[in-house]
Amino acid sequence: MLFVRAAELRRERVPSFDAYPFNLPAVRQFGRLEFSSPVTVLVGENGTGKSTLLEALAVAAGFNPEGGSKNFAFGTRPSHSELHTCLRLVRAPSRPRDGYFLRAESFFNVATQIEELDKVPGAGPRIIDSYGGRSLHEQSHGESFLTLLQERFRGSGLYLLDEPEAALSPTRQLAALARMHQLVEAGSQFILATHSPILMAYPGAQLLGLSDSGIAPLDYDQTEHVVVMRHFINDRETLLAELLREDGA
């Protein structure tokens, strides 16, 4: 299911292509981005703008800049860019029944907000009950991420994940990949930014590489992350010898 079919940069709204984030090559050359798979993965080196673009897509879709569902409206420190004000999303006629924006760097703030909201007496169930009933602060970072995927994500949803591998071991990344597949089978769409070759490997995923040349489709084996990791695993001793040798040796 594709709830968001494309994103367009309304260039007439851009205040200046010399100012951040519009001066990033991936944004400066941005026109229209078509989503062709239920799983789209934004790939790129640090500083290429993948998290900035994902954040803008999330805010344009109605999510809180610091993360959470569309019901979250808190803010601890304004840090998001104005890119979302210049984006237009091309949506499908059918709307998602669920949705979430996960930012690895601010998920602690989401967990805190859940606890604060649950302190207020109300007629409805506790918010934390949708996350398995156990405080996210009482779990490790990795456990809380998996709890989010397994308990809170319900399917038929739009899920935007920024570096979800940050707290996950390789084994947990495989578990996350399996859960993503269950949710895709249940009619969900994922857009994520990641450095993880494991998460990039989702079958049929649309891989989009962000670089100084802009945004372009990639094959899995073309990604720098996979090339470097494969080189390291297959010829670790040679690579380490080159990397760690003293100058002039």
Side-chain angles (χ1 to χ4, degrees), residues 111-142:
T112 299
Q113 181 68 8
I114 290 171
E115 292 192 348
E116 291 300 316
L117 291 172
D118 278 342
K119 289 179 182 177
V120 179
R126 299 181 309 162
I127 298 172
I128 196 61
D129 291 340
S130 297
Y131 295 75
R134 180 185 170 199
S135 170
L136 297 173
H137 284 314
E138 295 177 1
Q139 305 175 47
S140 72
H141 208 184

Side-chain angles (χ1 to χ4, degrees), residues 180-192:
M180 281 174 54
H181 182 63
Q182 292 176 342
L183 291 163
V184 168
E185 292 289 291
S188 299
Q189 179 180 7
F190 282 85
I191 305 173
L192 60 150

Side-chain angles (χ1 to χ4, degrees), residues 74-155:
F74 71 96
T76 56
R77 179 179 178 273
S79 61
H80 57 291
S81 75
E82 294 302 310
L83 179 56
H84 68 279
T85 65
C86 302
L87 287 184
R88 186 178 79 88
L89 301 185
V90 180
R91 304 173 188 260
S94 57
R95 294 301 176 96
R97 294 200 298 268
D98 190 28
Y100 212 92
F101 175 35
L102 169 66
R103 291 185 65 169
E105 64 182 29
S106 58
F107 190 56
F108 178 93
N109 300 340
V110 174
T112 299
Q113 181 68 8
I114 290 171
E115 292 192 348
E116 291 300 316
L117 291 172
D118 278 342
K119 289 179 182 177
V120 179
R126 299 181 309 162
I127 298 172
I128 196 61
D129 291 340
S130 297
Y131 295 75
R134 180 185 170 199
S135 170
L136 297 173
H137 284 314
E138 295 177 1
Q139 305 175 47
S140 72
H141 208 184
E143 286 177 322
S144 65
F145 275 32
L146 273 183
T147 295
L148 177 71
L149 287 168
Q150 294 170 345
E151 301 288 345
R152 171 57 185 80
F153 290 9
R154 306 183 185 97

Side-chain angles (χ1 to χ4, degrees), residues 187-242:
S188 299
Q189 179 180 7
F190 282 85
I191 305 173
L192 60 150
T194 185
H195 293 289
S196 168
I198 292 175
L199 297 182
M200 294 177 198
Y202 185 85
Q206 176 187 22
L207 301 183
L208 298 174
L210 280 70
S211 69
D212 289 343
S213 301
I215 304 176
L218 286 178
D219 291 330
Y220 180 77
D221 290 324
Q222 291 179 319
T223 65
E224 183 179 6
H225 308 70
V226 172
V227 171
V228 170
M229 188 61 67
R230 182 175 287 136
H231 185 191
F232 182 83
I233 292 173
N234 292 340
D235 197 8
R236 180 182 72 253
E237 293 182 0
T238 299
L239 181 60
L240 288 174
E242 294 176 356

